Amino acid sequence: MKNLRDFTYEELLEEVRGLGEKPYRAEQVYGWVYRKCATDIDSMTDVSKALRERLKESYSVEGLKVLEVKSSFDGTRKFLSELSDGSRIESVLIPEGDRLTLCVSSQAGCALGCRFCMTGLSGFTRNLTLSELNGQVFAARGLLNEGETITNVVLMGMGEPLNNYDNVLRFVSILTDGRGFGFSHNKVTLSTAGLVPGIRRLGAEANINLAVSLNATTDEVRDRVMPVNKKYPLEELMDALRGYPHNGKKHVTIEYVMLANVNDSIEDAKRLIKLLRGIPCKVNLIPFNPFPGARFQAPENHMVSTFSKILQDAGYFTIVRASKGSDIQAACGQLKGRYGEEEGERDSAGG
Ligand code: SAH
Ligand code: SF4
């Protein structure tokens, strides 16, 4: 059985053609799947009975199996889903003012092994398929309260989205397709640890917002906390960011996880300003979210505010990202996709 949620519009068109049907049938089915959230083929009432019967022979509509939902006092909702092979991923709905952002995972685990990231320390299982990416949007819709809609989607959950490039781009095409989920390009953001070829390709092939986890201002420190830096060092990365299309208005978001006594000094702030020269960007400072076994500590508040002020004084729009959902371990870098595991059981893997 093929899952109807595993096709972009163009791919569905091909499927429908293969069945000897007219192209408008693809539009109908696609609309049922994405706009009307059909969960079975029988409910697609304006599709002819004969075609529905034929579709049912080879296709189904399969969602994710949501194992657990945790809700924070601040409205943040984290859900854990089980994939068909038993892998587990987490996704988070985050309310912020009039926005409701869905944070989506792109992989089960992550191969990049950043030292401060719980996902990175638990290793890599596999890339998510299109229906597993889509499935997080459908599952999140099922958790909405009356009157709520998802306004933004960020690929900022578990995994490195540029390491699952093809499926992520197919997902983006559905997210931003008026016949699909219908988000504007400005409402979709992909966060990467800095895979330079992927950034260049994304700039040429998609029109979404880019966030980059910089997290250090020297190669020496970045090598240590983000091993991917050995492959794509700072100079190359900054060069790719300078080339990222901005359409005159798009700003890259620089994410900077602040680790006490590692990258939170005044010198770091000054070096960061130099690095960012010539890159239209805004800066998100993210105080490290500790987890059991972590080798880093959260920065002191005064370090965060000093750092932030230095950047602001240099003209950079800078925010300190509030730790939403911290009571349910939904904050940045705390997603781990395991279930029933006591916090204390985790060993301090990695180095
Ligand atoms: N792989 C992508 C997207 C997922 S990580 C990336 O690295 O950008 C999402 C964000 O969480 C990144 O900015 C990362 O630096 C941050 N992060 C990871 N672990 C964290 C932690 N323990 N505390 C705070 N932020 C963390
Ligand atoms: Fe992977 Fe991003 Fe975590 Fe690094 S910070 S290990 S790239 S998920």
Side-chain angles (χ1 to χ4, degrees):
M1 279 285 170
K2 300 189 225 178
N3 188 347
L4 284 176
R5 292 179 177 176
D6 263 321
F7 300 100
T8 63
Y9 181 71
E10 287 72 23
E11 292 163 357
L12 197 60
L13 209 53
E14 282 307 304
E15 294 290 310
V16 163
R17 280 210 184 100
L19 294 172
E21 294 282 338
K22 297 248 161 53
Y24 81 94
R25 293 294 193 190
E27 194 151 342
Q28 279 181 322
V29 173
Y30 192 77
W32 277 105
V33 171
Y34 294 108
R35 295 217 68 87
K36 298 182 205 155
C37 298
T39 51
D40 63 76
I41 290 168
D42 278 326
S43 66
M44 303 180 180
T45 45
D46 59 2
V47 176
S48 72
K49 183 102 195 335
L51 177 54
R52 273 185 274 156
E53 290 308 319
R54 284 188 67 200
L55 284 173
K56 274 158 54 181
E57 286 167 16
S58 323
Y59 302 87
S60 61
V61 185
E62 300 294 335
L64 292 180
K65 187 166 153 201
V66 177
L67 292 180
E68 189 183 22
V69 182
K70 282 188 178 168
S71 299
S72 164
F73 66 91
D74 65 17
T76 302
R77 280 145 275 176
K78 172 172 89 161
F79 55 98
L80 175 78
S81 311
E82 186 172 68
L83 312 179
S84 53
D85 66 350
S87 304
R88 281 151 183 192
I89 55 162
E90 290 183 311
S91 326
V92 193
L93 267 171
I94 310 155
E96 274 166 308
D98 51 11
R99 289 199 300 195
L100 183 62
T101 300
L102 174 63
C103 178
V104 171
S105 290
S106 57
Q107 301 181 309
C110 183
L112 296 186
C114 302
R115 301 290 187 241
F116 49 81
C117 172
M118 204 166 197
T119 305
L121 292 179
S122 10
F124 176 66
T125 306
R126 67 170 173 86
N127 280 333
L128 300 193
T129 64
L130 179 61
S131 58
E132 290 163 349
L133 293 162
N134 286 334
Q136 296 173 70
V137 181
F138 289 111
R141 281 182 173 176
L143 300 178
L144 298 180
N145 299 320
E146 186 94 12
E148 276 186 329
T149 40
I150 300 168
T151 61
N152 297 64
V153 176
V154 295
L155 282 141
M156 230 177 247
M158 299 166 67
E160 168 52 49
L162 293 180
N163 266 344
N164 185 12
Y165 189 92
D166 291 340
N167 288 341
V168 162
L169 235 70
R170 291 163 73 217
F171 176 50
V172 166
S173 88
I174 293 168
L175 282 174
T176 57
D177 183 350
R179 296 162 302 199
F181 290 124
F183 289 94
S184 130
H185 286 90
N186 298 328
K187 304 290 181 191
V188 179
T189 303
L190 181 151
S191 174
T192 177
L195 302 182
V196 167
I199 292 174
R200 295 199 196 278
R201 206 175 148 198
L202 188 76
E205 296 176 357
N207 183 25
I208 54 171
N209 299 313
L210 180 70
V212 174
S213 304
L214 199 61
N215 302 347
T217 61
T218 63
D219 281 319
E220 189 255 317
V221 173
R222 200 163 190 268
D223 280 354
R224 200 147 51 84
V225 297
M226 300 182 76
V228 68
N229 191 66
K230 292 178 194 147
K231 202 158 178 199
Y232 305 112
L234 278 172
E235 200 179 301
E236 264 183 61
L237 174 57
M238 302 324 279
D239 192 53
L241 298 189
R242 261 183 286 276
Y244 195 77
H246 312 292
N247 306 332
K249 49 185 170 181
K250 263 201 172 46
H251 282 206
V252 174
T253 300
I254 300 294
E255 298 165 283
Y256 194 93
V257 176
M258 293 187 68
L259 309 165
N261 304 319
V262 175
N263 64 4
D264 64 344
S265 70
I266 290 173
E267 290 69 39
D268 279 302
K270 290 181 178 161
R271 269 195 299 266
L272 184 54
I273 291 166
K274 276 203 191 126
L275 277 176
L276 296 180
R277 218 165 263 164
I279 302 171
C281 64
K282 54 184 182 185
V283 181
N284 276 1
L285 298 177
I286 313 168
F288 173 66
N289 288 307
F291 51 86
R295 306 204 167 174
F296 300 97
Q297 265 124 41
E300 293 190 44
N301 287 339
H302 72 95
M303 298 300 278
V304 180
S305 47
T306 304
F307 202 99
S308 162
K309 183 157 188 320
I310 295 173
L311 290 169
Q312 278 166 349
D313 288 349
Y316 289 96
F317 181 81
T318 306
I319 58 162
V320 178
R321 202 192 286 164
S323 193
K324 288 271 183 174
S326 49
D327 55 325
I328 55 167
Q329 286 76 49
C332 271
Q334 294 188 327
L335 306 183
K336 57 178 175 165
R338 295 193 192 163
Y339 185 49
E341 179 198 56
E342 289 305 315
E343 288 294 305
E345 276 176 35
R346 235 198 118 258
D347 63 14
S348 52

